[in-house]
Amino acid sequence: MKSVVAIYPGSFDPVTNGHLDLIERGAKLFDRLIVGVLRNLDKAPLFTPDERVEMLHEVTRPWPNVEVDVFGGLLVDFAQRRSATVILRGIRAISDYEYELQMAMMNRKLEPNLETVFMMPAVAYSYLSSRVVREVAQLGGAVQGLVPPAVELRLRAKVF
Ligand code: PNS
């Protein structure tokens, strides 16, 4: 039987409930789902790659077919190393589409056998992003319900 391995790549600085919603959906659809954490971000991250991976490990424990890995360089090379045939990405609103289309088409040009699959998170998370979570937390606002409790604690420790 063919087993489908998918990569869910991102910065995850930090993982939000929107990401988790997508991980849950992806874990149902694919045999294995590898959450791929991009090591070096253009902008200075709030959390180190190790911290971002640790948080993802903690919050993805409920799904035995989900694993977490870190990558640098091209996503298509990481997918090949991990024998993945699918890239999973979330689309929240039409505003995400242009960037996602560009990325999917570039990845297809680099590796035609790798398919990008888009899924929509629950509508309750359609306004949520790591960037707004970081900003709210850094300015002292409440992020309860937007990130898992373990991440909320780490955010509090980081910004105070
Ligand atoms: O969570 P993000 O920041 O939207 O994730 C973006 C990510 C990590 C998926 C993207 O930046 C990426 O794949 N980077 C790896 C470099 C790469 O392969 N670039 C070419 C594709 S455009």
mmCIF file of all heavy atoms in Angstrom, residues 19-71:
data_model
loop_
_atom_site.group_PDB
_atom_site.id
_atom_site.type_symbol
_atom_site.label_atom_id
_atom_site.label_comp_id
_atom_site.label_asym_id
_atom_site.label_seq_id
_atom_site.Cartn_x
_atom_site.Cartn_y
_atom_site.Cartn_z
ATOM 1 N N HIS A 19 -2.193 26.932 13.398
ATOM 2 C CA HIS A 19 -1.288 25.879 12.905
ATOM 3 C C HIS A 19 -1.753 24.508 13.392
ATOM 4 O O HIS A 19 -1.773 23.543 12.625
ATOM 5 C CB HIS A 19 0.145 26.091 13.432
ATOM 6 C CG HIS A 19 0.837 27.316 12.914
ATOM 7 N ND1 HIS A 19 1.445 28.224 13.752
ATOM 8 C CD2 HIS A 19 1.029 27.767 11.659
ATOM 9 C CE1 HIS A 19 2.000 29.191 13.019
ATOM 10 N NE2 HIS A 19 1.748 28.930 11.740
ATOM 11 N N LEU A 20 -2.119 24.447 14.669
ATOM 12 C CA LEU A 20 -2.533 23.153 15.245
ATOM 13 C C LEU A 20 -3.775 22.606 14.568
ATOM 14 O O LEU A 20 -3.907 21.400 14.359
ATOM 15 C CB LEU A 20 -2.820 23.313 16.744
ATOM 16 C CG LEU A 20 -1.660 23.110 17.690
ATOM 17 C CD1 LEU A 20 -2.170 22.984 19.110
ATOM 18 C CD2 LEU A 20 -0.866 21.850 17.325
ATOM 19 N N ASP A 21 -4.692 23.507 14.241
ATOM 20 C CA ASP A 21 -5.913 23.120 13.528
ATOM 21 C C ASP A 21 -5.537 22.459 12.194
ATOM 22 O O ASP A 21 -6.089 21.420 11.814
ATOM 23 C CB ASP A 21 -6.757 24.376 13.296
ATOM 24 C CG ASP A 21 -8.044 24.094 12.554
ATOM 25 O OD1 ASP A 21 -8.001 23.967 11.308
ATOM 26 O OD2 ASP A 21 -9.099 23.993 13.210
ATOM 27 N N LEU A 22 -4.552 23.048 11.524
ATOM 28 C CA LEU A 22 -4.143 22.499 10.230
ATOM 29 C C LEU A 22 -3.398 21.172 10.400
ATOM 30 O O LEU A 22 -3.557 20.246 9.602
ATOM 31 C CB LEU A 22 -3.278 23.509 9.473
ATOM 32 C CG LEU A 22 -3.618 23.527 7.988
ATOM 33 C CD1 LEU A 22 -4.928 24.252 7.762
ATOM 34 C CD2 LEU A 22 -2.529 24.127 7.162
ATOM 35 N N ILE A 23 -2.597 21.080 11.466
ATOM 36 C CA ILE A 23 -1.867 19.835 11.746
ATOM 37 C C ILE A 23 -2.871 18.707 11.993
ATOM 38 O O ILE A 23 -2.724 17.595 11.466
ATOM 39 C CB ILE A 23 -0.912 20.025 12.950
ATOM 40 C CG1 ILE A 23 0.267 20.929 12.536
ATOM 41 C CG2 ILE A 23 -0.399 18.679 13.472
ATOM 42 C CD1 ILE A 23 1.163 21.381 13.684
ATOM 43 N N GLU A 24 -3.921 19.001 12.737
ATOM 44 C CA GLU A 24 -4.943 17.986 13.025
ATOM 45 C C GLU A 24 -5.614 17.516 11.726
ATOM 46 O O GLU A 24 -5.809 16.322 11.507
ATOM 47 C CB GLU A 24 -5.990 18.573 13.979
ATOM 48 C CG GLU A 24 -7.034 17.570 14.387
ATOM 49 C CD GLU A 24 -7.903 18.063 15.536
ATOM 50 O OE1 GLU A 24 -7.956 19.285 15.786
ATOM 51 O OE2 GLU A 24 -8.528 17.208 16.181
ATOM 52 N N ARG A 25 -5.944 18.472 10.854
ATOM 53 C CA ARG A 25 -6.563 18.110 9.574
ATOM 54 C C ARG A 25 -5.590 17.301 8.721
ATOM 55 O O ARG A 25 -5.966 16.312 8.094
ATOM 56 C CB ARG A 25 -7.007 19.369 8.812
ATOM 57 C CG ARG A 25 -8.174 20.067 9.459
ATOM 58 C CD ARG A 25 -8.456 21.431 8.824
ATOM 59 N NE ARG A 25 -9.235 22.239 9.749
ATOM 60 C CZ ARG A 25 -10.547 22.142 9.918
ATOM 61 N NH1 ARG A 25 -11.232 21.302 9.172
ATOM 62 N NH2 ARG A 25 -11.182 22.879 10.802
ATOM 63 N N GLY A 26 -4.329 17.742 8.680
ATOM 64 C CA GLY A 26 -3.326 17.060 7.868
ATOM 65 C C GLY A 26 -3.043 15.650 8.376
ATOM 66 O O GLY A 26 -2.840 14.716 7.589
ATOM 67 N N ALA A 27 -3.049 15.481 9.702
ATOM 68 C CA ALA A 27 -2.768 14.168 10.301
ATOM 69 C C ALA A 27 -3.856 13.160 9.923
ATOM 70 O O ALA A 27 -3.600 11.958 9.867
ATOM 71 C CB ALA A 27 -2.649 14.296 11.811
ATOM 72 N N LYS A 28 -5.067 13.661 9.674
ATOM 73 C CA LYS A 28 -6.158 12.768 9.267
ATOM 74 C C LYS A 28 -6.030 12.370 7.807
ATOM 75 O O LYS A 28 -6.407 11.271 7.413
ATOM 76 C CB LYS A 28 -7.505 13.498 9.432
ATOM 77 C CG LYS A 28 -8.020 13.508 10.850
ATOM 78 C CD LYS A 28 -9.448 14.035 10.868
ATOM 79 C CE LYS A 28 -9.769 14.612 12.228
ATOM 80 N NZ LYS A 28 -10.634 15.784 12.156
ATOM 81 N N LEU A 29 -5.500 13.292 7.013
ATOM 82 C CA LEU A 29 -5.486 13.091 5.559
ATOM 83 C C LEU A 29 -4.278 12.282 5.080
ATOM 84 O O LEU A 29 -4.389 11.513 4.131
ATOM 85 C CB LEU A 29 -5.487 14.472 4.890
ATOM 86 C CG LEU A 29 -5.915 14.581 3.447
ATOM 87 C CD1 LEU A 29 -7.362 14.119 3.293
ATOM 88 C CD2 LEU A 29 -5.792 16.033 2.979
ATOM 89 N N PHE A 30 -3.135 12.479 5.746
ATOM 90 C CA PHE A 30 -1.896 11.848 5.275
ATOM 91 C C PHE A 30 -1.428 10.761 6.229
ATOM 92 O O PHE A 30 -1.729 10.804 7.421
ATOM 93 C CB PHE A 30 -0.801 12.914 5.095
ATOM 94 C CG PHE A 30 -1.222 14.029 4.173
ATOM 95 C CD1 PHE A 30 -1.484 15.296 4.653
ATOM 96 C CD2 PHE A 30 -1.401 13.784 2.809
ATOM 97 C CE1 PHE A 30 -1.906 16.316 3.807
ATOM 98 C CE2 PHE A 30 -1.812 14.793 1.951
ATOM 99 C CZ PHE A 30 -2.065 16.062 2.446
ATOM 100 N N ASP A 31 -0.665 9.808 5.689
ATOM 101 C CA ASP A 31 -0.166 8.723 6.549
ATOM 102 C C ASP A 31 0.832 9.258 7.562
ATOM 103 O O ASP A 31 0.819 8.864 8.721
ATOM 104 C CB ASP A 31 0.486 7.640 5.676
ATOM 105 C CG ASP A 31 -0.535 7.026 4.739
ATOM 106 O OD1 ASP A 31 -1.456 6.366 5.236
ATOM 107 O OD2 ASP A 31 -0.442 7.252 3.516
ATOM 108 N N ARG A 32 1.717 10.145 7.075
ATOM 109 C CA ARG A 32 2.674 10.791 7.999
ATOM 110 C C ARG A 32 2.728 12.275 7.680
ATOM 111 O O ARG A 32 2.702 12.658 6.499
ATOM 112 C CB ARG A 32 4.073 10.183 7.840
ATOM 113 C CG ARG A 32 4.231 8.869 8.614
ATOM 114 C CD ARG A 32 5.560 8.230 8.289
ATOM 115 N NE ARG A 32 6.691 9.087 8.583
ATOM 116 C CZ ARG A 32 7.807 9.144 7.852
ATOM 117 N NH1 ARG A 32 7.939 8.383 6.783
ATOM 118 N NH2 ARG A 32 8.801 9.924 8.194
ATOM 119 N N LEU A 33 2.810 13.068 8.725
ATOM 120 C CA LEU A 33 2.913 14.513 8.532
ATOM 121 C C LEU A 33 4.161 14.992 9.275
ATOM 122 O O LEU A 33 4.298 14.779 10.487
ATOM 123 C CB LEU A 33 1.663 15.204 9.097
ATOM 124 C CG LEU A 33 1.592 16.716 8.891
ATOM 125 C CD1 LEU A 33 1.454 17.072 7.408
ATOM 126 C CD2 LEU A 33 0.403 17.308 9.654
ATOM 127 N N ILE A 34 5.066 15.620 8.519
ATOM 128 C CA ILE A 34 6.299 16.142 9.121
ATOM 129 C C ILE A 34 6.185 17.664 9.193
ATOM 130 O O ILE A 34 6.055 18.321 8.152
ATOM 131 C CB ILE A 34 7.533 15.736 8.279
ATOM 132 C CG1 ILE A 34 7.637 14.212 8.192
ATOM 133 C CG2 ILE A 34 8.807 16.346 8.885
ATOM 134 C CD1 ILE A 34 8.625 13.720 7.143
ATOM 135 N N VAL A 35 6.187 18.188 10.396
ATOM 136 C CA VAL A 35 6.154 19.641 10.557
ATOM 137 C C VAL A 35 7.590 20.123 10.380
ATOM 138 O O VAL A 35 8.478 19.748 11.159
ATOM 139 C CB VAL A 35 5.599 20.039 11.947
ATOM 140 C CG1 VAL A 35 5.543 21.547 12.078
ATOM 141 C CG2 VAL A 35 4.221 19.416 12.171
ATOM 142 N N GLY A 36 7.827 20.914 9.352
ATOM 143 C CA GLY A 36 9.185 21.359 9.015
ATOM 144 C C GLY A 36 9.397 22.794 9.470
ATOM 145 O O GLY A 36 8.755 23.718 8.963
ATOM 146 N N VAL A 37 10.308 22.978 10.414
ATOM 147 C CA VAL A 37 10.563 24.309 10.981
ATOM 148 C C VAL A 37 11.737 24.939 10.249
ATOM 149 O O VAL A 37 12.848 24.392 10.278
ATOM 150 C CB VAL A 37 10.879 24.185 12.491
ATOM 151 C CG1 VAL A 37 11.164 25.555 13.096
ATOM 152 C CG2 VAL A 37 9.744 23.481 13.216
ATOM 153 N N LEU A 38 11.496 26.077 9.590
ATOM 154 C CA LEU A 38 12.586 26.765 8.895
ATOM 155 C C LEU A 38 13.557 27.347 9.923
ATOM 156 O O LEU A 38 13.166 28.120 10.789
ATOM 157 C CB LEU A 38 12.031 27.885 7.997
ATOM 158 C CG LEU A 38 13.072 28.632 7.170
ATOM 159 C CD1 LEU A 38 13.732 27.711 6.140
ATOM 160 C CD2 LEU A 38 12.441 29.819 6.473
ATOM 161 N N ARG A 39 14.841 26.940 9.794
ATOM 162 C CA ARG A 39 15.834 27.298 10.819
ATOM 163 C C ARG A 39 16.136 28.804 10.822
ATOM 164 O O ARG A 39 15.969 29.471 11.825
ATOM 165 C CB ARG A 39 17.120 26.500 10.582
ATOM 166 C CG ARG A 39 18.134 26.668 11.687
ATOM 167 C CD ARG A 39 19.405 25.898 11.420
ATOM 168 N NE ARG A 39 19.219 24.466 11.500
ATOM 169 C CZ ARG A 39 19.364 23.614 10.485
ATOM 170 N NH1 ARG A 39 19.685 24.078 9.287
ATOM 171 N NH2 ARG A 39 19.190 22.327 10.637
ATOM 172 N N ASN A 40 16.571 29.315 9.680
ATOM 173 C CA ASN A 40 17.007 30.715 9.624
ATOM 174 C C ASN A 40 15.950 31.584 8.961
ATOM 175 O O ASN A 40 15.674 31.430 7.779
ATOM 176 C CB ASN A 40 18.326 30.826 8.849
ATOM 177 C CG ASN A 40 19.434 30.065 9.559
ATOM 178 O OD1 ASN A 40 19.560 30.136 10.776
ATOM 179 N ND2 ASN A 40 20.205 29.303 8.806
ATOM 180 N N LEU A 41 15.396 32.486 9.741
ATOM 181 C CA LEU A 41 14.378 33.378 9.204
ATOM 182 C C LEU A 41 15.030 34.682 8.761
ATOM 183 O O LEU A 41 16.058 35.078 9.302
ATOM 184 C CB LEU A 41 13.311 33.657 10.269
ATOM 185 C CG LEU A 41 12.700 32.419 10.937
ATOM 186 C CD1 LEU A 41 11.596 32.835 11.893
ATOM 187 C CD2 LEU A 41 12.149 31.468 9.880
ATOM 188 N N ASP A 42 14.413 35.358 7.784
ATOM 189 C CA ASP A 42 14.942 36.652 7.313
ATOM 190 C C ASP A 42 14.965 37.645 8.466
ATOM 191 O O ASP A 42 15.939 38.323 8.729
ATOM 192 C CB ASP A 42 14.059 37.221 6.187
ATOM 193 C CG ASP A 42 14.190 36.387 4.923
ATOM 194 O OD1 ASP A 42 15.185 35.642 4.832
ATOM 195 O OD2 ASP A 42 13.304 36.469 4.057
ATOM 196 N N LYS A 43 13.808 37.704 9.145
ATOM 197 C CA LYS A 43 13.705 38.633 10.287
ATOM 198 C C LYS A 43 14.188 37.904 11.538
ATOM 199 O O LYS A 43 14.145 36.673 11.594
ATOM 200 C CB LYS A 43 12.241 39.066 10.430
ATOM 201 C CG LYS A 43 11.312 37.871 10.610
ATOM 202 C CD LYS A 43 10.182 37.797 9.608
ATOM 203 C CE LYS A 43 9.590 36.376 9.711
ATOM 204 N NZ LYS A 43 8.748 35.884 8.750
ATOM 205 N N ALA A 44 14.656 38.669 12.539
ATOM 206 C CA ALA A 44 15.118 38.045 13.792
ATOM 207 C C ALA A 44 13.926 37.381 14.471
ATOM 208 O O ALA A 44 12.925 38.049 14.753
ATOM 209 C CB ALA A 44 15.715 39.110 14.691
ATOM 210 N N PRO A 45 13.996 36.086 14.741
ATOM 211 C CA PRO A 45 12.856 35.416 15.369
ATOM 212 C C PRO A 45 12.766 35.720 16.860
ATOM 213 O O PRO A 45 13.760 36.083 17.477
ATOM 214 C CB PRO A 45 13.154 33.935 15.129
ATOM 215 C CG PRO A 45 14.627 33.857 15.007
ATOM 216 C CD PRO A 45 15.112 35.178 14.481
ATOM 217 N N LEU A 46 11.566 35.570 17.421
ATOM 218 C CA LEU A 46 11.408 35.719 18.873
ATOM 219 C C LEU A 46 11.951 34.467 19.560
ATOM 220 O O LEU A 46 12.622 34.542 20.574
ATOM 221 C CB LEU A 46 9.918 35.919 19.208
ATOM 222 C CG LEU A 46 9.570 36.147 20.673
ATOM 223 C CD1 LEU A 46 10.256 37.398 21.220
ATOM 224 C CD2 LEU A 46 8.050 36.284 20.849
ATOM 225 N N PHE A 47 11.680 33.297 18.960
ATOM 226 C CA PHE A 47 12.121 32.023 19.543
ATOM 227 C C PHE A 47 13.223 31.405 18.675
ATOM 228 O O PHE A 47 13.161 31.483 17.442
ATOM 229 C CB PHE A 47 10.941 31.045 19.637
ATOM 230 C CG PHE A 47 9.907 31.451 20.651
ATOM 231 C CD1 PHE A 47 8.753 32.109 20.248
ATOM 232 C CD2 PHE A 47 10.088 31.186 22.005
ATOM 233 C CE1 PHE A 47 7.790 32.498 21.179
ATOM 234 C CE2 PHE A 47 9.133 31.569 22.943
ATOM 235 C CZ PHE A 47 7.981 32.228 22.526
ATOM 236 N N THR A 48 14.185 30.775 19.331
ATOM 237 C CA THR A 48 15.259 30.101 18.598
ATOM 238 C C THR A 48 14.664 28.871 17.888
ATOM 239 O O THR A 48 13.584 28.395 18.276
ATOM 240 C CB THR A 48 16.361 29.608 19.558
ATOM 241 O OG1 THR A 48 15.791 28.591 20.399
ATOM 242 C CG2 THR A 48 16.931 30.732 20.403
ATOM 243 N N PRO A 49 15.372 28.328 16.901
ATOM 244 C CA PRO A 49 14.874 27.110 16.249
ATOM 245 C C PRO A 49 14.617 26.001 17.267
ATOM 246 O O PRO A 49 13.590 25.316 17.190
ATOM 247 C CB PRO A 49 16.003 26.726 15.286
ATOM 248 C CG PRO A 49 16.697 28.005 15.000
ATOM 249 C CD PRO A 49 16.593 28.834 16.250
ATOM 250 N N ASP A 50 15.517 25.822 18.245
ATOM 251 C CA ASP A 50 15.326 24.773 19.260
ATOM 252 C C ASP A 50 14.044 24.995 20.051
ATOM 253 O O ASP A 50 13.301 24.061 20.338
ATOM 254 C CB ASP A 50 16.518 24.732 20.231
ATOM 255 C CG ASP A 50 17.718 24.044 19.621
ATOM 256 O OD1 ASP A 50 17.564 23.476 18.523
ATOM 257 O OD2 ASP A 50 18.803 24.081 20.235
ATOM 258 N N GLU A 51 13.790 26.232 20.436
ATOM 259 C CA GLU A 51 12.576 26.542 21.205
ATOM 260 C C GLU A 51 11.324 26.279 20.366
ATOM 261 O O GLU A 51 10.334 25.728 20.854
ATOM 262 C CB GLU A 51 12.590 28.012 21.655
ATOM 263 C CG GLU A 51 13.583 28.306 22.762
ATOM 264 C CD GLU A 51 13.712 29.798 23.061
ATOM 265 O OE1 GLU A 51 13.654 30.634 22.119
ATOM 266 O OE2 GLU A 51 13.893 30.138 24.233
ATOM 267 N N ARG A 52 11.376 26.675 19.085
ATOM 268 C CA ARG A 52 10.202 26.475 18.213
ATOM 269 C C ARG A 52 9.931 24.978 18.024
ATOM 270 O O ARG A 52 8.788 24.536 18.051
ATOM 271 C CB ARG A 52 10.433 27.170 16.863
ATOM 272 C CG ARG A 52 10.333 28.693 16.981
ATOM 273 C CD ARG A 52 10.529 29.387 15.667
ATOM 274 N NE ARG A 52 11.914 29.701 15.390
ATOM 275 C CZ ARG A 52 12.510 29.575 14.205
ATOM 276 N NH1 ARG A 52 11.847 29.123 13.173
ATOM 277 N NH2 ARG A 52 13.782 29.900 14.054
ATOM 278 N N VAL A 53 11.004 24.196 17.885
ATOM 279 C CA VAL A 53 10.861 22.746 17.733
ATOM 280 C C VAL A 53 10.318 22.123 19.022
ATOM 281 O O VAL A 53 9.410 21.297 18.989
ATOM 282 C CB VAL A 53 12.211 22.113 17.322
ATOM 283 C CG1 VAL A 53 12.189 20.603 17.475
ATOM 284 C CG2 VAL A 53 12.565 22.496 15.888
ATOM 285 N N GLU A 54 10.875 22.555 20.154
ATOM 286 C CA GLU A 54 10.423 22.027 21.454
ATOM 287 C C GLU A 54 8.934 22.252 21.663
ATOM 288 O O GLU A 54 8.203 21.351 22.075
ATOM 289 C CB GLU A 54 11.169 22.751 22.578
ATOM 290 C CG GLU A 54 12.347 21.984 23.160
ATOM 291 C CD GLU A 54 13.131 22.878 24.112
ATOM 292 O OE1 GLU A 54 12.520 23.574 24.945
ATOM 293 O OE2 GLU A 54 14.349 22.893 23.972
ATOM 294 N N MET A 55 8.474 23.476 21.382
ATOM 295 C CA MET A 55 7.050 23.795 21.550
ATOM 296 C C MET A 55 6.202 22.919 20.637
ATOM 297 O O MET A 55 5.156 22.411 21.038
ATOM 298 C CB MET A 55 6.801 25.281 21.255
ATOM 299 C CG MET A 55 7.268 26.190 22.352
ATOM 300 S SD MET A 55 6.812 27.915 22.066
ATOM 301 C CE MET A 55 8.110 28.447 20.975
ATOM 302 N N LEU A 56 6.671 22.725 19.402
ATOM 303 C CA LEU A 56 5.909 21.881 18.465
ATOM 304 C C LEU A 56 5.864 20.435 18.941
ATOM 305 O O LEU A 56 4.830 19.773 18.826
ATOM 306 C CB LEU A 56 6.513 21.982 17.064
ATOM 307 C CG LEU A 56 5.990 23.174 16.256
ATOM 308 C CD1 LEU A 56 6.928 23.520 15.119
ATOM 309 C CD2 LEU A 56 4.593 22.914 15.715
ATOM 310 N N HIS A 57 6.985 19.952 19.479
ATOM 311 C CA HIS A 57 6.986 18.583 20.030
ATOM 312 C C HIS A 57 5.918 18.450 21.106
ATOM 313 O O HIS A 57 5.141 17.507 21.112
ATOM 314 C CB HIS A 57 8.356 18.246 20.634
ATOM 315 C CG HIS A 57 9.294 17.640 19.627
ATOM 316 N ND1 HIS A 57 10.631 17.941 19.594
ATOM 317 C CD2 HIS A 57 9.075 16.770 18.624
ATOM 318 C CE1 HIS A 57 11.201 17.280 18.595
ATOM 319 N NE2 HIS A 57 10.277 16.558 18.004
ATOM 320 N N GLU A 58 5.912 19.441 22.022
ATOM 321 C CA GLU A 58 4.955 19.388 23.141
ATOM 322 C C GLU A 58 3.516 19.347 22.638
ATOM 323 O O GLU A 58 2.704 18.569 23.131
ATOM 324 C CB GLU A 58 5.121 20.628 24.041
ATOM 325 C CG GLU A 58 6.338 20.578 24.944
ATOM 326 C CD GLU A 58 6.552 21.901 25.690
ATOM 327 O OE1 GLU A 58 5.558 22.511 26.114
ATOM 328 O OE2 GLU A 58 7.714 22.314 25.813
ATOM 329 N N VAL A 59 3.191 20.188 21.666
ATOM 330 C CA VAL A 59 1.775 20.343 21.301
ATOM 331 C C VAL A 59 1.306 19.350 20.233
ATOM 332 O O VAL A 59 0.103 19.255 19.983
ATOM 333 C CB VAL A 59 1.458 21.800 20.867
ATOM 334 C CG1 VAL A 59 1.759 22.765 22.000
ATOM 335 C CG2 VAL A 59 2.200 22.205 19.613
ATOM 336 N N THR A 60 2.233 18.621 19.618
ATOM 337 C CA THR A 60 1.798 17.647 18.606
ATOM 338 C C THR A 60 1.795 16.217 19.160
ATOM 339 O O THR A 60 1.569 15.267 18.408
ATOM 340 C CB THR A 60 2.683 17.688 17.327
ATOM 341 O OG1 THR A 60 4.043 17.459 17.689
ATOM 342 C CG2 THR A 60 2.554 19.019 16.605
ATOM 343 N N ARG A 61 2.038 16.089 20.471
ATOM 344 C CA ARG A 61 2.055 14.764 21.102
ATOM 345 C C ARG A 61 0.789 13.936 20.837
ATOM 346 O O ARG A 61 0.885 12.720 20.687
ATOM 347 C CB ARG A 61 2.292 14.921 22.611
ATOM 348 C CG ARG A 61 3.565 14.225 23.045
ATOM 349 C CD ARG A 61 3.859 14.437 24.509
ATOM 350 N NE ARG A 61 5.039 15.255 24.712
ATOM 351 C CZ ARG A 61 5.165 16.169 25.664
ATOM 352 N NH1 ARG A 61 4.181 16.400 26.512
ATOM 353 N NH2 ARG A 61 6.274 16.852 25.787
ATOM 354 N N PRO A 62 -0.400 14.549 20.775
ATOM 355 C CA PRO A 62 -1.618 13.736 20.570
ATOM 356 C C PRO A 62 -1.650 12.969 19.251
ATOM 357 O O PRO A 62 -2.448 12.038 19.122
ATOM 358 C CB PRO A 62 -2.757 14.767 20.599
ATOM 359 C CG PRO A 62 -2.197 15.966 21.280
ATOM 360 C CD PRO A 62 -0.728 15.951 21.029
ATOM 361 N N TRP A 63 -0.838 13.350 18.272
ATOM 362 C CA TRP A 63 -0.925 12.701 16.957
ATOM 363 C C TRP A 63 0.318 11.836 16.704
ATOM 364 O O TRP A 63 1.406 12.357 16.441
ATOM 365 C CB TRP A 63 -1.057 13.751 15.852
ATOM 366 C CG TRP A 63 -2.292 14.568 16.025
ATOM 367 C CD1 TRP A 63 -3.577 14.184 15.777
ATOM 368 C CD2 TRP A 63 -2.370 15.920 16.519
ATOM 369 N NE1 TRP A 63 -4.443 15.208 16.086
ATOM 370 C CE2 TRP A 63 -3.730 16.286 16.545
ATOM 371 C CE3 TRP A 63 -1.426 16.852 16.947
ATOM 372 C CZ2 TRP A 63 -4.169 17.530 16.973
ATOM 373 C CZ3 TRP A 63 -1.854 18.092 17.381
ATOM 374 C CH2 TRP A 63 -3.216 18.410 17.387
ATOM 375 N N PRO A 64 0.147 10.501 16.771
ATOM 376 C CA PRO A 64 1.316 9.613 16.613
ATOM 377 C C PRO A 64 1.933 9.661 15.217
ATOM 378 O O PRO A 64 3.104 9.305 15.059
ATOM 379 C CB PRO A 64 0.747 8.214 16.908
ATOM 380 C CG PRO A 64 -0.735 8.346 16.922
ATOM 381 C CD PRO A 64 -1.085 9.784 17.077
ATOM 382 N N ASN A 65 1.188 10.090 14.208
ATOM 383 C CA ASN A 65 1.753 10.123 12.848
ATOM 384 C C ASN A 65 2.330 11.501 12.485
ATOM 385 O O ASN A 65 2.615 11.771 11.318
ATOM 386 C CB ASN A 65 0.722 9.685 11.802
ATOM 387 C CG ASN A 65 -0.494 10.601 11.749
ATOM 388 O OD1 ASN A 65 -0.814 11.270 12.722
ATOM 389 N ND2 ASN A 65 -1.170 10.623 10.612
ATOM 390 N N VAL A 66 2.471 12.371 13.508
ATOM 391 C CA VAL A 66 3.055 13.695 13.263
ATOM 392 C C VAL A 66 4.443 13.754 13.885
ATOM 393 O O VAL A 66 4.624 13.340 15.032
ATOM 394 C CB VAL A 66 2.162 14.813 13.875
ATOM 395 C CG1 VAL A 66 2.834 16.175 13.758
ATOM 396 C CG2 VAL A 66 0.793 14.834 13.187
ATOM 397 N N GLU A 67 5.420 14.223 13.122
ATOM 398 C CA GLU A 67 6.752 14.443 13.699
ATOM 399 C C GLU A 67 7.236 15.852 13.371
ATOM 400 O O GLU A 67 6.667 16.517 12.501
ATOM 401 C CB GLU A 67 7.747 13.375 13.231
ATOM 402 C CG GLU A 67 8.021 13.383 11.758
ATOM 403 C CD GLU A 67 9.067 12.333 11.373
ATOM 404 O OE1 GLU A 67 10.254 12.624 11.530
ATOM 405 O OE2 GLU A 67 8.670 11.257 10.893
ATOM 406 N N VAL A 68 8.263 16.274 14.073
ATOM 407 C CA VAL A 68 8.773 17.639 13.910
ATOM 408 C C VAL A 68 10.232 17.556 13.492
ATOM 409 O O VAL A 68 10.989 16.755 14.039
ATOM 410 C CB VAL A 68 8.645 18.434 15.231
ATOM 411 C CG1 VAL A 68 9.090 19.868 15.045
ATOM 412 C CG2 VAL A 68 7.217 18.372 15.778
ATOM 413 N N ASP A 69 10.601 18.364 12.521
ATOM 414 C CA ASP A 69 11.991 18.378 12.061
ATOM 415 C C ASP A 69 12.346 19.819 11.708
ATOM 416 O O ASP A 69 11.464 20.650 11.490
ATOM 417 C CB ASP A 69 12.131 17.463 10.831
ATOM 418 C CG ASP A 69 13.564 17.061 10.558
ATOM 419 O OD1 ASP A 69 14.469 17.512 11.286
ATOM 420 O OD2 ASP A 69 13.787 16.300 9.594
ATOM 421 N N VAL A 70 13.620 20.102 11.649
ATOM 422 C CA VAL A 70 14.063 21.455 11.325
ATOM 423 C C VAL A 70 14.784 21.402 9.985
ATOM 424 O O VAL A 70 15.368 20.378 9.637
ATOM 425 C CB VAL A 70 14.942 21.991 12.486
ATOM 426 C CG1 VAL A 70 16.259 21.275 12.559
ATOM 427 C CG2 VAL A 70 15.143 23.467 12.403
ATOM 428 N N PHE A 71 14.664 22.481 9.197
ATOM 429 C CA PHE A 71 15.366 22.461 7.913
ATOM 430 C C PHE A 71 15.922 23.843 7.575
ATOM 431 O O PHE A 71 15.458 24.858 8.072
ATOM 432 C CB PHE A 71 14.475 21.927 6.784
ATOM 433 C CG PHE A 71 13.443 22.919 6.261
ATOM 434 C CD1 PHE A 71 13.640 23.601 5.064
ATOM 435 C CD2 PHE A 71 12.265 23.150 6.958
ATOM 436 C CE1 PHE A 71 12.701 24.499 4.579
ATOM 437 C CE2 PHE A 71 11.312 24.045 6.487
ATOM 438 C CZ PHE A 71 11.529 24.724 5.293
#
